[in-house]
Amino acid sequence: MKKVSYFILSTFLILLAFACQVEKRISYNEVVNRMTDLQRLSKLPAEGEKSGMFSSYDRRSKYDEDANEYIHWAANDDGLTPQYIRKEGEDMVLVEMEGPGAIVRVWSASPARGHIKVYIDGNEEPAIDLPFIDYFKTSSLPVFDYPNLVYETNARGFNNYVPITFQKSVKIIGEPGWGQYYQFNYITFPKETVVEDFSTAPSSETEKALQRVNDILGSEMGKPVADETNADLETTKLTINPGELKNAFKIEGKRAITSLKIKMGPLVSGQEAEAYRKTILTMNWDGNPEPAVWSPIGDFFGSAPGFNKYKTLPMGMTDDGMYSYWYMPFGKMAELSIENTADFPVELELEVTHEKLKGNPADFGRFHAKWHRDIMPVEESRWPDWTVLKTQGKGRFVGMFLSVWNPKGGSCREFGGEGQHWWGEGDEKFHVDGEKFPSTFGTGTEDYFGYAWCIPNLFEHAYHSQNYTEQNMGYQSLNRWQIIDNVPFQESFEAYMEKYFPNHWPTQYATVAYWYLDKDGIDPIEPTPANELFGYETAYEVFRVQDVVEAESMKIVSNTGGWVTTDAFSHEKLYNEVSGHQVMFWFSKKDGDNVLEASFDFNQSGTYEVYANILLSRQGGKFDVAVNDKKVSSGLVFFSDEELPVAKYVRLGTVTMKEGKQKLSFKGIEDSSVGNRMALDYLKFEPIK
């Protein structure tokens, strides 16, 4: 009898264990909570956890497995060549994959009125059927009604982070007219997972979960993400002399850092950029002599040059200093040190919170963050890939900071190939566990960072920011955090960003890569020598004409037809003739006499001869020009049959102006012998005495 009972009990336990292994349930709310769960990122990924992206990358880029070579690897017609998996009639299949999983990010630069349909688990009726533009409007669906999850940046990038779960499969169809560019980031769960169904009308509990996340990503931004009720707080103040390395904290035990805050003391004017780049933060875990974190202090906290205020979910710079809420576990000991490689002293106030680690330290990755530039170059056949990270082991990639030095602006036809237009053309390419063709293949650097169309505006959201800009003609500072869309890997991970403009152009990148790695994983990135940290940028002085009104500084008041921009760069052959390298472009609509009006300030009344520096091209048209409604030129021709654009300095006429705001207008003249483009560099006003 006892043997029978023992047999029954053993069988029951085996079946129970098997059932637990076979089926793990994840509620929709659990998926939602992953958007703010920084602690979960530190847990090493289970088999079957994956992440990737479907996008409108240029399909000419391929990997030939038989020849072991990359084909058209620099192709850059993202969104223009066939940008879909296949066609079904006139519809385009944009996403098609098996589950269980979730779509966790939708991005576009130009969503339009054509419908995007999301089919889940083979159902004949779509779970979502909306014009693509409506995927980025909070009023479209109850589940989208969260402005910190569904938004357009003020730099024209459309983002939607509301998870769309699926059990068996997901298929996304684009009807004609849906738009031009797309990215759909996805995650998958282990095969035995049962994930709760997605609904466009969330339950009251899901509404609470979404609202909680929306609040954390909005009004609570900059506050600690984790509950620090049971955390220990340590503070210290350090004065570090030139060439000195000081230990700030040594924490022993099985614990995890939950927040790190640092405030730099007063600096002499002009020292800020150097201080934040030459003060080095290092972190070592469990007695390992090789640092897992090595970065200039400003870059580590997500911005450069210097100190630039911004707030995102895990990182930021505020009036109270710099904060990091990355969860950093360790098994025996953590050491945090600061090194000063500048030739002047720095003062720092530091604060760290840490708590007891719940679980086996072997189940957690160690936090890594490394600053570098121009390491591990790729072979010529893989140009224009620029290495962000190569690592081996098990872990998760959670984002990057990118500092760009690009003083010329754009373009770079001489070296840039198809990515000639501006520095941000390059796609991100993430290779997981040795895959030859990347499971993440992007559509542009600015797209990865969540914006679009090279708009040099400052913006900040929970997962990305452009927190410093010199209008694409100098420094740019960007970061992107991959929280719910982190990239798990079991054996290895490689991240590249296409960089079409060479260093000698000059266009130079520096980055911090952030990832978790098992304690025995390989992190090959070594510290950068002190003399290569600051001042490495190749100097360049932009050609500028003094005492002129730059067209790119004007404000567009109205446009009756056509496309206009004040943020366009001239051909690089004209960089010594076009002031500031930038012009105002207007492609007037051809059918009718269209008018463009712009305004500018002029603060000295008088009568002036008006001159203009214009660009002639094969697309150039014919226009009447007026200042303050007085016509100063009739039928000004912007056409040239030369292969490259030509700069021409022309006299427009005479005008009397009063101090204050002035109006400049162009009227298109229909002429089949010419094009429809107007390109203005600047106006110059010579006083008539």
Side-chain angles (χ1 to χ4, degrees):
M1 189 70 180
K2 290 183 179 179
K3 290 183 179 179
V4 174
S5 300
Y6 178 76
F7 174 78
I8 294 173
L9 178 62
S10 300
T11 303
F12 173 76
L13 291 174
I14 291 170
L15 291 173
L16 180 63
F18 180 74
C20 291
Q21 180 182 4
V22 168
E23 184 177 294
K24 179 182 179 183
R25 294 186 175 272
I26 296 181
S27 70
Y28 183 79
N29 294 354
E30 287 180 77
V31 179
V32 169
N33 290 334
R34 289 188 181 193
M35 286 191 276
T36 58
D37 190 350
L38 300 184
Q39 180 174 344
R40 184 189 173 278
L41 297 177
S42 66
K43 293 182 180 178
L44 295 174
E47 291 287 341
E49 267 196 84
K50 294 182 181 179
S51 172
M53 184 171 72
F54 291 88
S55 78
S56 52
Y57 74 90
D58 191 326
R59 265 41 179 193
R60 289 178 297 163
S61 293
K62 300 179 184 298
Y63 171 70
D64 186 329
E65 189 171 353
D66 294 333
N68 189 27
E69 63 181 8
Y70 290 91
I71 309 299
H72 297 303
W73 206 233
N76 190 52
D77 281 343
D78 305 312
L80 299 174
T81 60
Q83 53 181 338
Y84 42 80
I85 299 171
R86 68 178 184 280
K87 271 195 167 184
E88 294 182 350
E90 290 300 311
D91 295 342
M92 304 177 193
V93 179
L94 308 182
V95 173
E96 189 171 39
M97 65 177 294
E98 295 181 350
I103 301 295
V104 292
R105 172 180 176 262
V106 183
W107 168 92
S108 183
S110 56
R113 298 302 304 172
H115 279 227
I116 294 287
K117 298 181 179 181
V118 180
Y119 293 88
I120 293 176
D121 296 341
N123 292 325
E124 293 185 3
E125 292 298 318
I128 307 176
D129 183 357
L130 291 171
F132 197 24
I133 185 64
D134 289 350
Y135 278 71
F136 309 100
K137 295 179 180 178
T138 55
S139 59
S140 299
L141 292 171
V143 76
F144 289 171
D145 193 18
Y146 301 92
N148 297 314
L149 307 182
V150 179
Y151 54 86
E152 178 188 0
T153 71
N154 66 341
R156 292 181 62 188
F158 295 82
N159 295 265
N160 184 328
Y161 278 92
V162 175
I164 302 171
T165 55
F166 54 93
Q167 182 64 42
K168 298 177 182 178
S169 64
V170 64
K171 183 177 180 180
I172 300 180
I173 299 292
E175 292 186 340
W178 61 263
Q180 190 172 6
Y181 302 96
Y182 70 87
Q183 294 183 358
F184 293 94
N185 289 78
Y186 66 84
I187 60 174
T188 66
F189 310 114
K191 285 294 183 183
E192 65 273 12
T193 304
V194 176
V195 62
E196 184 179 354
D197 293 342
F198 166 79
S199 173
T200 58
S203 67
S204 59
E205 289 302 312
T206 296
E207 286 180 348
K208 291 177 183 177
L210 287 166
Q211 188 60 54
R212 171 189 164 276
V213 168
N214 187 73
D215 291 343
I216 292 174
L217 304 185
S219 60
E220 298 179 22
M221 191 81 74
K223 297 178 182 178
V225 180
D227 180 5
E228 296 187 335
T229 304
N230 298 316
D232 293 337
L233 171 67
E234 295 187 42
T235 62
T236 189
K237 293 183 179 181
L238 299 176
T239 298
I240 308 177
N241 293 315
E244 193 173 18
L245 174 88
K246 283 190 175 181
N247 180 269
F249 301 106
K250 184 175 182 180
I251 307 167
E252 296 183 332
K254 188 177 72 171
R255 304 186 68 79
I257 291 173
T258 58
S259 70
L260 172 65
K261 298 179 181 180
I262 301 179
K263 188 172 185 177
M264 184 85 76
L267 294 164
V268 174
S269 178
Q271 288 183 340
E272 187 177 84
E274 185 173 1
Y276 281 87
R277 175 57 61 76
K278 287 190 172 182
T279 304
I280 308 300
L281 169 68
T282 63
M283 295 186 190
N284 298 65
W285 311 121
D286 299 327
N288 192 328
E290 298 299 324
V293 174
W294 189 98
S295 175
I297 199 167
D299 300 66
F300 173 81
F301 286 99
S303 189
F307 180 92
N308 308 293
K309 288 195 287 187
Y310 82 98
K311 289 192 290 186
T312 60
L313 179 67
M315 296 282 225
M317 295 181 172
T318 70
D319 290 333
D320 296 325
M322 303 173 286
Y323 68 83
S324 162
Y325 296 135
W326 296 112
Y327 192 80
M328 307 179 192
F330 49 94
K332 298 177 181 178
M333 179 175 61
E335 295 177 279
L336 190 155
S337 302
I338 306 290
E339 182 180 8
N340 180 11
T341 67
D343 58 5
F344 51 84
V346 294
E347 297 178 0
L348 301 168
E349 297 179 22
L350 299 95
E351 174 185 306
V352 65
T353 59
H354 53 91
E355 65 181 17
K356 184 178 180 180
L357 183 63
K358 301 176 182 67
N360 186 344
D363 295 334
F364 293 84
R366 303 304 186 258
F367 181 75
H368 288 245
K370 292 289 184 71
W371 185 93
H372 69 82
R373 57 186 184 88
D374 299 323
I375 63 168
M376 295 179 273
V378 300
E379 57 269 25
E380 186 176 345
S381 64
R382 291 187 59 173
W383 180 86
D385 290 358
W386 184 85
T387 304
V388 175
L389 174 63
K390 290 177 72 173
T391 189
Q392 295 179 24
K394 179 183 286 192
R396 300 179 190 273
F397 177 70
V398 295
M400 74 173 79
F401 157 73
L402 184 66
S403 175
V404 179
W405 168 245
N406 185 59
K408 285 185 179 180
S411 59
C412 180
R413 288 167 175 81
E414 184 176 355
F415 302 108
E418 292 185 22
Q420 61 181 288
H421 306 289
W422 76 296
W423 69 265
E425 286 294 314
D427 307 336
E428 77 274 17
K429 298 171 180 174
F430 298 163
H431 301 253
V432 178
D433 295 336
E435 62 191 8
K436 291 295 186 178
F437 194 86
S439 47
T440 294
F441 197 136
T443 57
T445 305
E446 83 273 37
D447 308 344
Y448 174 74
F449 290 101
Y451 68 116
W453 302 110
C454 63
I455 306 296
N457 293 344
L458 296 176
F459 65 87
E460 57 182 48
H461 290 273
Y463 305 128
H464 52 138
S465 79
Q466 183 163 253
N467 49 55
Y468 183 85
T469 177
E470 292 180 346
Q471 302 300 303
N472 287 325
M473 293 190 63
Y475 290 107
Q476 299 287 125
S477 174
L478 310 107
N479 50 46
R480 160 85 185 276
W481 316 123
Q482 298 193 227
I483 308 303
I484 190 171
D485 58 334
N486 68 86
V487 186
F489 52 94
Q490 300 291 334
E491 299 173 359
S492 65
F493 178 75
E494 297 181 18
Y496 303 94
M497 187 67 74
E498 289 180 337
K499 180 176 180 288
Y500 288 97
F501 291 15
N503 285 351
H504 61 78
W505 181 242
T507 302
Q508 294 159 283
Y509 288 2
T511 191
V512 179
Y514 305 81
W515 76 106
Y516 287 90
L517 187 65
D518 69 87
K519 62 183 183 63
D520 298 320
I522 299 174
D523 170 0
I525 304 176
E526 298 180 351
T528 303
N531 62 353
E532 298 178 16
L533 290 170
F534 183 76
Y536 60 80
E537 298 91 343
T538 302
Y540 179 83
E541 186 172 347
V542 176
F543 168 75
R544 295 189 186 277
V545 178
Q546 300 300 310
D547 301 321
V548 299
V549 179
E550 297 280 7
E552 62 267 24
S553 69
M554 296 180 182
K555 181 180 179 181
I556 303 301
V557 177
S558 64
N559 174 20
T560 64
W563 178 78
V564 63
T565 179
T566 57
D567 188 36
F569 289 98
S570 70
H571 192 289
E572 66 253 26
K573 296 295 185 184
L574 300 177
Y575 277 179
N576 291 325
E577 299 178 65
V578 172
S579 180
H581 298 182
Q582 290 179 292
V583 296
M584 177 195 294
F585 277 150
W586 181 38
F587 288 85
S588 173
K589 195 172 182 180
K590 288 187 175 182
D591 54 346
D593 295 336
N594 293 291
V595 177
L596 173 74
E597 291 187 357
S599 67
F600 62 93
D601 292 322
F602 197 84
N603 296 321
Q604 190 167 353
S605 301
T607 302
Y608 297 87
E609 291 279 6
V610 187
Y611 296 85
N613 201 42
I614 63 175
L615 269 62
L616 313 182
S617 72
R618 289 177 175 176
Q619 297 82 39
K622 187 181 294 186
F623 299 86
D624 289 341
V625 188
V627 176
N628 295 331
D629 296 323
K630 179 189 176 183
K631 186 181 293 186
V632 292
S633 182
S634 297
L636 181 61
V637 176
F638 288 77
F639 176 81
S640 166
D641 59 5
E642 296 290 330
E643 181 179 354
L644 297 178
V646 177
K648 184 178 181 180
Y649 189 68
V650 298
R651 177 185 178 276
L652 298 181
T654 304
V655 65
T656 298
M657 300 193 299
K658 294 182 180 180
E659 177 182 352
K661 195 168 293 294
Q662 318 296 324
K663 182 170 74 172
L664 172 69
S665 58
F666 292 88
K667 182 179 180 180
I669 299 175
E670 288 196 61
D671 187 334
S672 60
S673 65
V674 296
N676 64 324
R677 187 176 87 165
M678 181 281 297
L680 174 66
D681 178 17
Y682 62 78
L683 297 180
K684 188 172 181 64
F685 296 89
E686 296 283 1
I688 298 175
K689 297 182 180 179

